Amino acid sequence: MGDASSASAPRIPPTYFSSVAYSARDLLYRGFVGGQTVSVSCLGPWSTKLTSSATLAHVITVGTMSATVVEGQGKCEITFSTLCNQISGTTTFLNVLCPGVTVVVSTSMKEGSCGGAVNVQYVHPYAAMSAKVFGTKGCGYRAQDSTATLLYDLFIDRSIDCYFTRFVALKTQVGGHMTFLFERKSKSIQIGGSHVMDAQTLIKWRLADTGTVADLLRYCPNPQVICGLAIAVNFRNMRQAPCVGLGLIMFPP
């Protein structure tokens, strides 16, 4: 539900980015669920991790099931979602040709249409570069207590995304995300932060330029259970009812 900041060493950003903007995306968006979510994971045959989740949002129930297999330097994941009957598969290869190079091959089928992408990423102790074939390119920088990322696609989506994060105290992190959409001639800005209260409790907040303020409380009674409560309020439209999300995630022991 919340981000994965460690209470024992909170100032060190993640040592591996699933994308070069992973740290900021996790800080600003992970856990802010607009609905009620239950997710259960277990271990299946051949060390396969099986995950099943259900989300109820605006009287629409979305169910997902995924199977993840990790073998050596590779990881394969297959996911099925009831939303538009989507099936997707992702294969990740670590340290291809040289240490730090990751290749991700993904494909998806959605309502009769098929799509796919190949993403190549290089991670250095202080920087990261990412390139998607026929899509978004990006570069990032990270230090002991901060990260900065630029994602751009000037040909297909015609957009630029800027991310940053920084630890302003031992257990307090702030970050931001700015998006420019050239075809729509628009931009959006979001800022947020998190604070580790103790080993079990984390609070997060997020403010958008649309006037929406969101707060998240995450509680982990033990390493196998994560509980979360998220609330979002639009102060520019007080007639709109607040959005409340409850989440429960259970992992295998």
Side-chain angles (χ1 to χ4, degrees), residues 19-178:
S19 72
V20 291
Y22 177 88
S23 183
R25 287 173 176 170
D26 182 74
L27 172 67
L28 293 172
Y29 301 110
R30 187 179 180 187
F32 291 97
V33 178
Q36 325 315 322
T37 299
V38 175
S39 177
V40 179
S41 298
C42 64
L43 296 178
W46 308 291
S47 299
T48 303
K49 181 181 178 181
L50 305 175
T51 302
S52 179
S53 63
T55 300
L56 174 62
H58 305 294
V59 304
I60 299 177
T61 302
V62 179
T64 60
M65 296 186 64
S66 64
T68 305
V69 180
V70 178
E71 183 67 29
Q73 297 292 319
K75 181 177 73 173
C76 298
E77 182 176 7
I78 298 177
T79 303
F80 170 76
S81 173
T82 59
L83 183 63
C84 301
N85 295 323
Q86 180 174 350
I87 301 176
S88 60
T90 302
T91 303
T92 303
F93 303 94
L94 303 177
N95 301 321
V96 179
L97 299 179
C98 65
V101 176
T102 300
V103 177
V104 180
V105 181
S106 61
T107 183
S108 63
M109 293 180 291
K110 180 179 179 181
E111 292 186 337
S113 62
C114 298
V118 177
N119 191 82
V120 181
Q121 177 181 301
Y122 173 69
V123 177
H124 185 268
Y126 295 101
M129 298 184 65
S130 177
K132 181 181 292 185
V133 179
F134 305 114
T136 304
K137 310 295 187 293
C139 55
Y141 168 80
R142 65 184 180 199
Q144 179 71 7
D145 57 1
S146 61
T147 67
T149 304
L150 174 66
L151 301 178
Y152 59 94
D153 186 345
L154 303 180
F155 300 101
I156 300 178
D157 293 334
R158 294 184 57 79
S159 63
I160 293 180
D161 290 85
C162 303
Y163 295 88
F164 81 90
T165 65
R166 183 173 179 81
F167 279 95
V168 295
L170 183 62
K171 297 182 179 181
T172 304
Q173 186 182 23
V174 297
H177 175 206
M178 179 177 295

Side-chain angles (χ1 to χ4, degrees), residues 3-14:
D3 65 14
S5 299
S6 171
S8 60
R11 295 180 65 87
I12 301 177

Side-chain angles (χ1 to χ4, degrees), residues 157-225:
D157 293 334
R158 294 184 57 79
S159 63
I160 293 180
D161 290 85
C162 303
Y163 295 88
F164 81 90
T165 65
R166 183 173 179 81
F167 279 95
V168 295
L170 183 62
K171 297 182 179 181
T172 304
Q173 186 182 23
V174 297
H177 175 206
M178 179 177 295
T179 302
F180 298 91
L181 300 175
F182 293 98
E183 292 184 352
R184 300 181 183 178
K185 297 181 180 180
S186 64
K187 68 177 183 295
S188 63
I189 301 174
Q190 299 201 59
I191 59 174
S194 68
H195 177 69
V196 179
M197 299 182 65
D198 51 46
Q200 289 80 34
T201 310
L202 171 77
I203 57 174
K204 296 173 65 176
W205 62 272
R206 186 180 70 200
L207 171 63
D209 59 353
T210 58
T212 301
V213 177
D215 294 283
L216 169 68
L217 173 64
R218 190 201 70 175
Y219 179 70
C220 302
N222 58 66
Q224 282 74 49
V225 178

